[in-house]
Amino acid sequence: MAQPTQLDPFSEVRRDSDAGAAFVLESKGEWWHAGFHLTTAIVGPTILTLPYVFRGLGWGLGFTCLTVMGFVTFYSYYLMSKVLDHCEKAGRRHIRFRELAADVLGSGWMFYFVIFIQTAINTGVGIGAILLAGECLQLPTFHSLRHINLVSLLLSLGYTFLVVGACINAGFSKNAPPKDYSLESSKSARIFSGFTSISIIAAIFGNGILPEIQATLAPPATGKMVKGLLMCYSVIFVTFYSAAVSGYWAFGNESNSNILKSLMPDNGPSLAPTSVIGLAVVFVLLQLFAIGLVYSQVAFEIMEKKSADVKQGLFSKRNLIPRLILRTLYMMFCGFMAAMLPFFGDINGVVGAIGFIPLDFILPMLLYNMTHKPPKTSIIYWTNISIMAVFTGAGFMGAFSSTRKLILDANKFKLFSSDVVD
């Protein structure tokens, strides 16, 4: 017997009065569109930082942390999708992370906590993207980004292969630096560098907008996000490991927080063909445009909810003018902060520790335990508790070590300097 059509409970009750939902979080997508969005949100030019991460961890711990955190984030995003499906079947479809957390945890302060964390992530990613774009040299709705994010996926594969080839070429070059994989001599320095590197990995694997991405799927969304995650993590496997291994092999503890700078040293000749590096830079810049759009959607949705009139058209003068003004001001703020504070590696670490670890490594497990209520004697319950405990500690240590490095690096730059500090 054919199943009755399942209606979107959110659309019936609130979408008519919620401009943020109606204009930004449009629910029309298929699972492969979710895959495109997830890949753009996770597989970005921050992978060029992975050799620098290995510089702080070494070969063994670097591989271990990258692999473990990859499994944990896949598991975390899977649980988050299950929580969203659970709430939707109960008649409460959530399209925003902050509303999901407030509903499940039953605490008003959690709503504002998630807003704060998401804002920190989105602004931090925006600043980091502008910093990386500077170093290397509007569409209204989230769903409308699906074609751009497909191109973004292809671009990430393109510049990864180019950078991997360039690093292999550099590693065999007579001008390559000596291959030294030793860690820092001081034990305390190794510990701080290790936790900073873990925070950067969290930022690289982090998403923070999975409910907003799932909100772009046409209901019912059950199962679609899992397929999207499998697509995304297939790309992650190819890109993350190849970039990390080739870059760290070629430059060792001389790896820069942006491996392109290692390939183009300030002193000495370029270690890879200029045409190859130039094409990789073009691909990076193009993908940063897509990443900026994806991570700005939460901020845009908040602005749209407060400023737009859902009863008037998406492109009506009443809605278009405030949209252009507010989005321009937001991007100007991100650009101003990026120009003022040139800390690419440090920004990654801080955003990972205070943003992505709470949102992607702790909250999904807590939300799952509270909604699905697995028995306290079950493996899944204690797995979730263990992950929360470990990453709570890692988050505190990562925040401390990343902030410490930010303070130490403050002596190396001037406001609005054109040189980005590692």
Side-chain angles (χ1 to χ4, degrees):
M1 185 177 75
Q3 294 185 349
T5 302
Q6 298 188 39
L7 299 177
D8 178 356
F10 182 84
S11 65
E12 293 183 345
V13 179
R14 295 159 55 198
R15 195 175 290 271
D16 287 342
S17 60
D18 189 334
F23 292 164
V24 181
L25 301 177
E26 199 174 39
S27 301
K28 296 182 179 179
E30 299 296 337
W31 69 265
W32 54 89
H33 298 147
F36 302 158
H37 297 322
L38 287 165
T39 304
T40 297
I42 299 175
V43 185
T46 48
I47 64 174
L48 303 178
T49 310
L50 282 170
Y52 177 78
V53 167
F54 273 48
R55 166 180 155 179
L57 294 170
W59 282 114
L61 202 53
F63 267 115
T64 300
C65 288
L66 188 64
T67 302
V68 168
M69 293 177 76
F71 277 113
V72 169
T73 51
F74 183 90
Y75 174 69
S76 170
Y77 299 147
Y78 170 74
L79 291 188
M80 179 65 74
S81 179
K82 296 283 285 183
V83 170
L84 289 164
D85 289 344
H86 175 86
C87 291
E88 182 173 351
K89 289 174 182 176
R92 307 187 315 276
R93 185 178 188 229
H94 294 294
I95 66 171
R96 301 177 177 97
F97 207 142
R98 57 191 184 273
E99 293 173 354
L100 171 67
D103 177 26
V104 175
L105 300 177
S107 173
W109 69 267
M110 185 56 68
F111 178 86
Y112 295 101
F113 172 75
V114 174
I115 285 181
F116 170 76
I117 295 296
Q118 277 196 313
T119 301
I121 288 174
N122 296 335
T123 306
V125 170
I127 292 170
I130 292 169
L131 279 171
L132 186 55
E135 256 191 299
C136 296
L137 178 160
Q138 247 175 55
L139 293 173
T141 69
F142 208 147
H143 176 64
S144 65
L145 299 179
R146 63 196 183 280
H147 303 303
I148 289 178
N149 288 341
L150 169 59
V151 175
S152 171
L153 186 157
L154 298 175
L155 288 170
S156 67
L157 291 171
Y159 64 69
T160 298
F161 294 148
L162 288 169
V163 168
V164 168
C167 286
I168 293 172
N169 179 80
F172 287 112
S173 170
K174 62 180 181 180
N175 297 314
K179 293 180 175 60
D180 183 359
Y181 306 112
S182 61
L183 301 178
E184 296 181 74
S185 56
S186 166
K187 183 178 180 180
S188 61
R190 289 199 299 272
I191 292 173
F192 287 131
S193 295
F195 278 106
T196 299
S197 294
I198 289 171
S199 297
I200 293 174
I201 294 176
I204 294 172
F205 270 113
N207 183 325
I209 53 174
L210 188 139
E212 285 80 2
I213 291 176
Q214 185 155 328
T216 67
L217 295 174
T222 303
K224 293 179 182 177
M225 282 300 289
V226 176
K227 294 179 182 178
L229 281 168
L230 289 171
M231 174 194 286
C232 173
Y233 274 76
S234 298
V235 178
I236 284 175
F237 179 78
V238 172
T239 55
F240 282 28
Y241 285 94
S242 59
V245 171
S246 62
Y248 188 58
W249 169 77
F251 298 102
N253 56 21
E254 296 295 320
S255 298
N256 196 280
S257 63
N258 175 3
I259 202 63
L260 290 176
K261 289 186 71 177
S262 297
L263 291 165
M264 299 181 292
D266 295 331
N267 301 314
S270 173
L271 298 176
T274 305
S275 58
V276 171
I277 296 176
L279 186 57
V281 167
V282 170
F283 285 0
V284 166
L285 291 172
L286 290 172
Q287 200 203 17
L288 285 172
F289 170 72
I291 290 172
L293 285 173
V294 165
Y295 274 97
S296 296
Q297 294 305 305
V298 173
F300 292 167
E301 180 269 321
I302 293 172
M303 296 174 193
E304 205 86 354
K305 184 175 181 180
K306 299 295 184 182
S307 66
D309 183 354
V310 72
K311 295 179 181 178
Q312 300 195 40
L314 177 63
F315 295 105
S316 67
K317 184 183 294 186
R318 161 63 182 81
N319 292 329
L320 185 60
I321 293 175
R323 180 182 304 131
L324 290 173
I325 293 173
L326 290 172
R327 295 187 182 192
T328 300
L329 288 173
Y330 175 77
M331 296 311 298
M332 286 174 62
F333 170 77
C334 291
F336 176 82
M337 295 300 294
M340 185 174 70
L341 302 172
F343 298 106
F344 180 59
D346 296 350
I347 288 290
N348 266 347
V350 172
V351 171
I354 70 171
F356 285 116
I357 286 181
L359 224 55
D360 293 331
F361 292 81
I362 298 173
L363 266 179
M365 289 69 179
L366 178 61
L367 296 174
Y368 183 87
N369 279 0
M370 294 193 69
T371 55
H372 288 73
K373 295 180 172 56
K376 292 186 178 180
T377 56
S378 65
I379 293 177
I380 190 170
Y381 177 85
W382 285 106
T383 297
N384 292 346
I385 293 293
S386 300
I387 291 172
M388 286 190 288
V390 168
F391 282 98
T392 296
F396 279 117
M397 286 299 298
F400 178 79
S401 60
S402 299
T403 304
R404 171 183 173 273
K405 188 172 187 305
L406 196 65
I407 293 170
L408 292 175
D409 285 345
N411 297 321
K412 301 179 183 178
F413 87 106
K414 297 179 181 179
L415 289 175
F416 301 103
S417 169
S418 60
D419 295 323
V420 177
V421 179
D422 277 344

